């Protein structure tokens, strides 16, 4: 009887100890997101707490252990950081952040979110340096393109003549294709093999070409004082005027 009572007392004491040790409840996990979404290599990547962790024990303060990985590799230099600077990210990388909430006694459940850095479409600018070419000049477009991801950029050209699409798909219209008064407009779409950039355009107006004298001669082989002089001129006009 005495042994049984002692065992019961010890058992109750052990249960009481377990109960006392477990009376501190861990904080709940936070709800996370990464901003912006989608994210590009020119964006700072920010951790956003959509919902903070909460602790059932109102007297407990909750802190966070924040860790980052890039393509699965730990980024120890950013432990505790809430922002990853843009110059750390590259197209195609997967960035993940894990947040463990804790009070001064126990850790709560970890929460993780991740994002893949998106491709940035290239940007382009097009101009026609000789904006008022003559009919005997080729119309030549010049392009400047930039791709922040360092991708090779394909230039996709198209031309219209007086608003009508033509079959020309390079940066040059040959002189023989143009006539005075025509309006030639070029459109450039830069493409990096994954995304197309915004189309950009420029135009040129074909100017009149002044006629020229091809040859000039006198009608008479001899000219006498007091007699009239007649000249014979041969002219040409590229525009057909």
């Amino acid at each position: 009887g005495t042994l049984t009572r002692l065992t019961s007392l010890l058992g109750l004491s052990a249960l009481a100890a377990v109960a006392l040790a477990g009376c501190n409840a861990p904080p709940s996990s936070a709800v996370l997101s990464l901003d912006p979404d989608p994210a590009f290599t020119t964006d700072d990547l920010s951790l956003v707490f959509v919902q903070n962790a909460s602790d059932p024990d109102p007297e407990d303060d909750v802190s966070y252990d924040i860790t980052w990985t890039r393509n699965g590799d730990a980024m120890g230099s950013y432990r505790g950081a809430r922002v990853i600077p843009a110059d750390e990210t590259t197209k195609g990388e997967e960035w993940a952040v894990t947040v463990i909430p804790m009070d001064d006694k126990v850790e709560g459940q970890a929460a993780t979110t991740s994002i893949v850095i998106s491709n940035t479409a290239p940007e382009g600018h097009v101009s026609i340096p000789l904006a008022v070419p003559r009919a005997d000049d080729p119309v030549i477009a010049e392009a400047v393109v930039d791709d922040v991801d360092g991708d090779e950029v394909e230039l996709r050209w198209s031309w219209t003549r007086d608003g009508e699409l033509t079959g020309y798909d390079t940066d040059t219209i040959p002189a023989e294709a143009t006539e005075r008064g025509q309006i030639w407009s070029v459109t450039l779409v830069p493409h990096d093999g994954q995304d197309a950039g915004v189309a950009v355009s420029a135009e040129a107006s074909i100017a009149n070409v002044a006629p020229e004298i091809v040859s000039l001669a006198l009608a008479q082989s001899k000219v006498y004082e007091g007699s009239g002089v007649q000249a014979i001129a041969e002219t040409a006009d590229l525009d057909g005027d």
Side-chain angles (χ1 to χ4, degrees):
T2 302
L3 181 60
T4 302
R5 287 195 301 275
L6 180 59
T7 302
S8 297
L9 288 171
L10 289 174
L12 287 172
S13 297
L15 288 173
V18 171
L20 287 171
C23 67
N24 180 74
S28 66
S29 61
V31 179
L32 312 173
S33 69
L34 290 171
D35 182 71
D37 185 6
F40 302 92
T41 191
T42 52
D43 296 322
D44 290 339
L45 192 58
S46 299
L47 170 62
V48 176
F49 284 80
V50 179
Q51 181 179 312
N52 289 318
S54 60
D55 196 298
D57 304 309
E59 69 278 4
D60 289 344
D61 294 324
V62 177
S63 60
Y64 298 106
D65 181 24
I66 301 171
T67 56
W68 295 84
T69 62
R70 178 174 60 195
N71 295 333
D73 297 325
M75 300 294 290
S77 59
Y78 287 102
R79 185 163 192 165
R82 298 196 180 199
V83 177
I84 301 297
D87 56 10
E88 281 284 3
T89 68
T90 300
K91 177 187 80 170
E93 292 176 343
E94 182 179 19
W95 282 81
V97 61
T98 297
V99 175
I100 301 175
M102 61 187 73
D103 57 26
D104 58 355
K105 301 179 185 67
V106 292
E107 293 181 351
Q109 184 176 354
T112 300
T113 189
S114 64
I115 198 168
V116 175
I117 305 301
S118 297
N119 178 66
T120 302
E123 296 181 348
H125 173 76
V126 67
S127 64
I128 300 176
L130 187 60
V132 189
R134 306 189 321 168
D136 56 349
D137 294 319
V139 184
I140 302 174
E142 293 184 357
V144 177
V145 295
D146 178 58
D147 189 283
V148 296
D149 299 315
D151 296 329
E152 184 176 346
V153 179
E154 175 191 359
L155 305 182
R156 299 181 177 179
W157 300 96
S158 61
W159 292 83
T160 62
R161 179 180 54 219
D162 296 332
E164 297 293 328
L165 187 64
T166 71
Y168 292 100
D169 60 0
T170 68
D171 61 354
T172 301
I173 300 297
E176 58 268 24
T178 69
E179 296 180 3
R180 180 191 66 180
Q182 291 176 339
I183 303 295
W184 284 83
S185 179
V186 62
T187 297
L188 169 68
V189 178
H191 201 289
D192 65 5
Q194 187 172 348
D195 292 301
V198 175
V200 289
S201 299
E203 69 175 31
S205 177
I206 308 302
N208 179 68
V209 178
E212 60 181 353
I213 298 175
V214 177
S215 64
L216 179 65
L218 295 176
Q220 303 95 331
S221 59
K222 293 182 180 180
V223 178
Y224 299 97
E225 184 179 352
S227 62
V229 179
Q230 182 179 6
I232 300 174
E234 181 180 354
T235 62
D237 188 279
L238 186 65
D239 301 315
D241 297 333

